[in-house]
Every structure is written in structure tokens, then in C-alpha cells.
Amino acid sequence: MKNIFDIEQLHQFDNLGLIAKEVVEGFITGLHRSPFHGFSVEFAEHRQYNQGESTKHIDWKLFARTDKLFVKQYEEETNLRCQLVIDTSSSMLFPYFKGKKHLENKLAFSVYTAAALIYLLRKQRDAVGLTLFSDEIEFHTSPRISSVNAELMYGKLSELIKPENAHLRKNTNTTDVLHQIAENIHKRSLVIIFSDMIDSQKTEELFSALQHLRYNKHEVLLFHVTDHKQEREFQYSNRPHKFVDLETGQAVKFNPWEVKSHYVSTVKNYFDDLKVKCGQYQIDLAEADINKDFKEVLLAYLVKRKRLF
């Protein structure tokens, strides 16, 4: 399970937890064959069990062989708190195809990748929470390690990728939502944001909201989710197309080749500015092209985590 197109074959199971496991296990296998094999999410050694501590990680198979209690000690024993934040506004439904059985858009890419991160974080025994937002916060759960919390998050994410739940005309207010998140989540959390960064607010106000997260001592990893071919490179055929704003419903018809040069230049300037601002605020910005594999996002997360610890 490398990308959103591979996942088609697993839809029959309707199990986001299973898909997340397949994505992560395949990714880890790839890491072990690559220069990044130093990233470990498996236990490193055993240590003797101390009376009074939790029996959750006792290796009972080893106990059966030795008649002694040992605990699996992991390489990454931390108390990292991670808040996954996903933009669910209508612009995230791009590319939008009415009546399509399975979603293959920016929102679906974000959902599958977030599910994989939930699985990976829990495998590393880190606490993870989830926030979904459009023009307001639609769902929020604080970081926890429990399996109950994981199932709740998988359930909410699963609802997002059902075609019948793909709502148009849903605006976004990234600026206000990020200010709320900065104030309300536990200090010194790792905040991972999935968004196309398309907002009706002024650019400077959006940057101010990102700066607020850093001011409150949060580490921030921002995944800029795009369909690179169509949104960044404007790769359309040389004929008239009808373009519809998924958030407002406004439609215009024109030949993309007539404005391609100006469009590409304007979009590049905006995101170059975003990159500069993130650098100034010490926010990690990573491109998340929905046409590429999930490993790009998972590796960016592991690099960030390794720097933190």
C-alpha cells in the first residue's frame, strides 16, 4: 500500500486500521532496505521486570522458557504528544469527480496518511490526538495512547472518505482554527497539519496563526497537500475548461493555456513566501503531492521526530 491508488484493492474490507497497518508495515520494510534503516520502531532488548510496574509489556514467551520476568524495552520510549490536524473544507475534495465510487483527492490522501501516522505513533508508544476543521473545529480529541481513542479516530477518518459525505460549499477558516489549537492543546506538543493552505483570510493573518503555534512552544510539521500536476503546474489540455470553486460554487470557463504562465508564477510566489515564513518561524514545511507515495510524508515525520529526541 504505497499510495491512494494502491488502496483500491483493500476497500472491500472497509477497515482504515488495516489499511494503516499495511501502509506502515510496507514503509518500514522499505526503510530496512534503505539508508534510513536506523529508524527503529521495534523493541531493542529486554530488561528485568521491576515489582510494581505494569505487566503490559512482559514477554510471556520468554518467561515460559526462563521462568523469569523480563520486559520488552523499546528504542523509542518517549511521551511525545502529537496532534494531527486535518483541513476538511471543500477545496480538499479536489480533484472532485461527482459519483465516483472511491475518493482519490487531497482529503483522501490526508486521511490515509494520518491513519498511517496514528498507527506509527502508537507503535512507538506515543500519544496521538485528532482535530478536523473547516470554517470551525468539527471534531477534536486530545492525545491519548489508548486503543479506544485510536478506534474513535479511525472511525471519524473513515467517515471523511465516504463519497456520500463529500460536502461542497464548505468554507475554511484556517487562521482562527490554528489560533484555537495553539491555545487549547497541551504545551510542547508536536502539531502535524494537513492542509492545502487555501484560505479566504489575508496571507499575513494566516502566517500569524502559524507563528502563534510556535510561540506556545509547539513543534509544527506542516504538510502542504496538493495535486501538483493540476494545482501547481496547471497541466490541462489546450481547450476551454469549466473551473468551479468547490467552496463557493462560482464557475468560470476559459482555456487554461491562455493564463498558465501567469497562474504558475502567482502560485509559485505564494508558496515560496509560505516556505520563507515557515523557515522564519522554525516550522517544518513539507510538500505532500497526492500523486506520490505515502512514504514522503512518513519519512518527513520520522526525520522530525528524530530531531526532537
Side-chain angles (χ1 to χ4, degrees), residues 213-224:
L213 286 166
R214 289 294 293 136
Y215 179 79
N216 279 22
K217 307 301 182 183
H218 301 300
E219 292 289 339
V220 183
L221 177 55
L222 171 60
F223 287 111
H224 174 224

Side-chain angles (χ1 to χ4, degrees), residues 268-292:
K268 181 180 184 299
N269 289 338
Y270 172 73
F271 289 110
D272 282 349
D273 194 18
L274 177 63
K275 189 179 297 183
V276 169
K277 292 293 185 182
C278 286
Q280 292 175 349
Y281 304 150
Q282 296 181 308
I283 291 173
D284 289 287
L285 175 66
E287 293 290 341
D289 184 356
I290 68 171
N291 300 296
K292 293 187 177 180

